[in-house]
Amino acid sequence: MSMASHVEPLIVGRVINDVLDLFVPTVAMSVRFGTKDLTNGCQIRPLVAANAPDIHIVGRANDLFTLVMTDPDAPSPSEPSMRECLHWLVVNIPGGGDPSQGEEVVPYMSPRPPLGIHRYVMVLYQQRSRMVAPVPTASGVDAARARFSTRAFADRHEMGLPVAAMYFNAQREPASRRRHY
């Protein structure tokens, strides 16, 4: 399967345009929540995504990557006035490794879609050099999550275009499925 074929679902799902500019993936990234392997545009129940996914990034050990995860559909897909909500930010991830080996700038926050079907986008950038990870204060983390821009972040840190991206959909679970104690 060619890397270019990975872009098509991103175009169809409007991830290209709403979040990213057109790019050609050059790095393989696998994402899995528990036993479920992520494919672009698949549906994941918020409960399944309660904990950060296992992510493996192919690359040489001296390569460094940044992972950004956002929700471009906050608070609702029809009125995304909070676009984008930052769910996770990890820098200095070594190639061949996973985010736990990098530096977590903003901790993982599970999907909490209040209304409609939300897209959750994971974008991988290759860094030119090691980043000095900013240490946000507790109040700073919440501020950092609101109206984040993946493009602006990449520009500010001169990362160029992404090397990989994947997204999944999630919607609020109907109340009937929640347990009543």
Side-chain angles (χ1 to χ4, degrees):
M1 187 155 120
S2 77
M3 283 287 202
S5 63
H6 282 281
V7 173
E8 231 164 285
L10 296 172
I11 295 171
V12 174
R14 296 192 333 277
V15 169
I16 304 285
N17 200 8
D18 287 355
V19 181
L20 302 170
D21 295 323
L22 186 61
F23 74 100
V24 176
T26 53
V27 172
M29 170 174 77
S30 64
V31 181
R32 118 184 300 197
F33 282 101
T35 57
K36 188 165 172 57
D37 285 309
L38 204 65
T39 55
N40 269 316
C42 70
Q43 189 84 20
I44 301 262
R45 291 179 40 222
L47 205 64
V48 173
N51 298 315
D54 293 315
I55 296 181
H56 184 74
I57 298 159
V58 175
R60 298 185 303 273
N62 56 350
D63 290 342
L64 289 171
F65 297 94
T66 290
L67 178 76
V68 179
M69 177 177 159
T70 69
D71 170 2
D73 298 318
S76 84
S78 56
E79 295 236 344
S81 59
M82 305 288 286
R83 172 177 297 168
E84 303 159 52
C85 176
L86 180 62
H87 278 255
W88 201 17
L89 177 57
V90 187
V91 300
N92 300 325
I93 304 167
D98 65 72
S100 71
Q101 296 165 282
E103 295 173 63
E104 193 173 64
V105 180
V106 174
Y108 178 80
M109 178 171 78
S110 63
R112 301 170 192 166
L115 204 67
I117 298 172
H118 288 232
R119 295 166 294 168
Y120 293 88
V121 183
M122 290 178 226
V123 187
L124 191 69
Y125 290 96
Q126 187 156 356
Q127 298 172 202
R128 298 196 177 157
S129 57
R130 176 167 287 280
M131 270 174 72
V132 177
V135 182
T137 59
S139 62
V141 166
D142 290 339
R145 291 191 193 275
R147 293 193 181 84
F148 182 84
S149 165
T150 301
R151 279 188 184 100
F153 174 82
D155 283 350
R156 201 163 54 243
H157 296 284
E158 296 177 358
M159 291 195 187
L161 290 170
V163 293
M166 291 190 87
Y167 83 103
F168 65 93
N169 294 312
Q171 59 186 315
R172 190 178 181 152
E173 307 215 33
S176 60
R177 243 192 256 154
R178 295 198 200 115
R179 291 201 188 94
H180 296 287
Y181 293 101

